[in-house]
Amino acid sequence: MLFFVGCKDALVKPIRYKGGDLHPQPSKYIFPDTSNYRLHQQVSSVVKTTLDREAKDIMGRQAITGLSAAMFIPNQGIWQIDTGFISKPNNVLIDHLSVFYWASVAKLVTSTVVYQLVAEQKLKLSTPLQNWYPNIQNSNQITIEHLLNHTNGIYSFNSDSSLHFSQQLHSPTELLNIALSKESLFQPGEYWAYTNTGYLLLALIVEQIENKSFQEIVKDRIARPEQLSSLRVLNLGELPNNLALAHYNNTTITTEYSVPLGAGNIVANSKDMVLFFYALLVGKYLPIETVHGMLANLYPMFNDGMYYGNGIMLYDFDKINGSSQEWIGHSGGTENYKAVLAYDTNTGVICAVSVNQNISAEAIAFILMKAL
């Protein structure tokens, strides 16, 4: 496969992709039919009882500290549960006002904003990084699309061991400087490698284009139009008192939830995450053709059956556990916080799960969907 990368208005030499086989693009007919969804309807008491019981069984079996989960189910409505502890040592319980951390699921929000700017002709997928950061290695060849799909080769700052185990708060500039102190891993378009630095750069570029903070941009473009009151980008150093804290062995863990910008600093409840994804999949933020285009090139990730497009993931369960399910969405996590936002292309169920400890959010989502 050849990728032609743009430098201003000129084409530079093509870069041949040398990584693993790409996954075929899903059908354009996978997207939700709005006539099957009831935005303001709760699921029936029977479905609620079934899912509540399953969620509480999972909590008990896995000794989970805190869970936020929601599903938007065709022809049924919305189910949501928020339960457990914000802080178990302090006996602070989760309630309907609590929010959870979504880690790298935030990348799906960032990519949506980037594509909105592309639709408004404020940006092009082929625009080179050198327009903003000419000092970055290969910036004349790295494009916006390379940043979106992790084929840019830029070192991911969180791979630095001194940062990985640091409890200090680092600004976007400091994180960028850490990444730029390392050599690029490969030529743009040559391989795939997950990098938070790419999404930090996207957020900073969006801020420069819009001339306002990323927090304001997400509020204006994502949260406010769909009345997602709990969804927001944290300010640097911010720790909301209603945020379910990360736990390990029943103790809270110090974590900087407000970084990294654009790559993982969004908090929300699970219902608002489900409604965000529904709005994206039915064309409220972007044309459906554009969302489908985000899945055109799906690169193999680090786990079998998982593939990465332009800010969106595909989960092929035939290669994961032999089942026929297929999801699109995004996963996220730190050592002690896990999250997933997924749309099951077979059933049309949209599911969001966040858990404030090291328990697989994907496994929880899979069990909850199976319970239906």
Side-chain angles (χ1 to χ4, degrees):
M1 180 176 293
L2 296 178
F3 292 87
F4 291 86
V5 292
C7 178
K8 293 185 179 178
D9 293 325
L11 286 175
V12 296
K13 65 178 182 179
I15 302 295
R16 183 173 294 277
Y17 172 68
K18 301 176 182 177
D21 293 340
L22 274 63
H23 192 281
Q25 183 182 23
S27 165
K28 63 182 179 181
Y29 301 109
I30 63 169
F31 294 97
D33 179 349
T34 56
S35 66
N36 295 330
Y37 293 81
R38 312 287 184 261
L39 267 175
H40 304 292
Q41 178 176 304
Q42 301 300 309
V43 296
S44 68
S45 59
V46 173
V47 173
K48 175 175 169 50
T49 299
T50 299
L51 292 174
D52 283 355
R53 182 173 58 243
E54 191 65 53
K56 289 172 183 177
D57 284 349
I58 295 170
M59 292 277 291
R61 290 196 305 268
Q62 300 296 328
I64 292 173
T65 306
L67 170 71
S68 183
M71 279 201 239
F72 200 178
I73 306 168
N75 303 309
Q76 285 282 345
I78 295 174
W79 167 81
Q80 178 185 10
I81 190 169
D82 299 283
T83 185
F85 291 90
I86 281 181
S87 172
K88 194 166 187 178
N90 295 324
N91 198 34
V92 181
L93 295 173
I94 290 163
D95 61 24
H96 69 284
L97 296 176
S98 301
V99 294
F100 276 65
Y101 177 59
W102 294 87
S104 284
V105 179
K107 291 180 173 68
L108 186 54
V109 174
T110 301
S111 63
T112 300
V113 171
V114 169
Y115 269 95
Q116 286 178 329
L117 295 179
V118 171
E120 295 164 14
Q121 300 185 346
K122 296 179 180 179
L123 189 62
K124 293 181 179 179
L125 294 180
S126 60
T127 304
L129 182 58
Q130 72 172 0
N131 287 14
W132 297 275
Y133 295 95
N135 59 318
I136 293 180
Q137 186 180 358
N138 299 324
S139 65
N140 65 320
Q141 294 181 309
I142 296 171
T143 66
I144 295 298
E145 186 161 24
H146 287 132
L147 297 177
L148 285 167
N149 60 28
H150 300 290
T151 60
N152 51 76
I154 300 173
Y155 181 86
S156 188
F157 53 76
N158 57 296
S159 297
D160 185 270
S161 58
S162 62
L163 176 67
H164 191 71
F165 297 103
S166 171
Q167 299 300 325
Q168 295 181 348
L169 180 66
H170 294 275
S171 70
T173 299
E174 290 172 330
L175 294 176
L176 194 56
N177 288 336
I178 290 170
L180 300 188
S181 69
K182 311 289 185 178
E183 290 290 317
S184 290
L185 305 180
F186 48 80
Q187 291 294 308
E190 190 174 19
Y191 292 102
W192 183 93
Y194 197 85
T195 171
N196 282 311
T197 308
Y199 273 78
L200 171 60
L201 285 165
L202 286 170
L204 293 173
I205 289 168
V206 167
E207 286 187 330
Q208 293 178 55
I209 292 173
E210 294 288 85
N211 195 29
K212 54 185 176 181
S213 72
F214 194 64
Q215 289 85 354
E216 292 176 288
I217 293 166
V218 170
K219 181 179 180 179
D220 292 343
R221 289 180 170 273
I222 304 297
R224 184 178 290 148
E226 296 302 314
Q227 300 179 353
L228 310 177
S229 59
S230 74
L231 191 158
R232 63 191 184 92
V233 174
L234 295 180
N235 292 306
L236 188 64
E238 181 182 3
L239 182 62
N241 58 16
N242 64 336
L243 172 63
L245 302 174
H247 284 70
Y248 178 75
N249 284 344
N250 295 323
T251 61
T252 57
I253 303 298
T254 301
T255 298
E256 292 299 344
Y257 304 95
S258 64
V259 293
L261 182 69
N265 64 335
I266 280 177
V267 298
N269 62 39
S270 53
K271 179 181 177 181
D272 277 354
M273 293 304 290
V274 160
L275 293 178
F276 153 69
F277 202 23
Y278 172 77
L280 177 63
L281 294 174
V282 300
K284 292 188 177 185
Y285 293 123
L286 296 165
I288 297 299
E289 295 78 10
T290 300
V291 183
H292 187 232
M294 295 166 71
L295 295 157
N297 294 309
L298 291 162
Y299 297 88
M301 298 178 67
F302 16 73
N303 294 325
D304 287 345
M306 297 175 69
Y307 298 84
Y308 207 94
N310 283 8
I312 192 167
M313 293 170 58
L314 182 140
Y315 308 70
D316 185 343
F317 280 88
D318 180 52
K319 298 180 180 179
I320 296 173
N321 60 13
S323 73
S324 61
Q325 282 181 269
E326 180 185 79
W327 295 354
I328 58 173
H330 212 294
S331 293
T334 63
E335 287 84 351
N336 298 290
Y337 224 119
K338 303 299 179 185
V340 67
L341 179 59
Y343 168 66
D344 188 316
T345 63
N346 293 332
T347 65
V349 173
I350 302 172
C351 183
V353 171
S354 185
V355 57
N356 59 348
Q357 66 191 88
N358 187 19
I359 299 289
S360 171
E362 293 85 359
I364 295 172
F366 189 89
I367 292 169
L368 289 173
M369 289 193 198
K370 188 176 180 181
L372 290 173

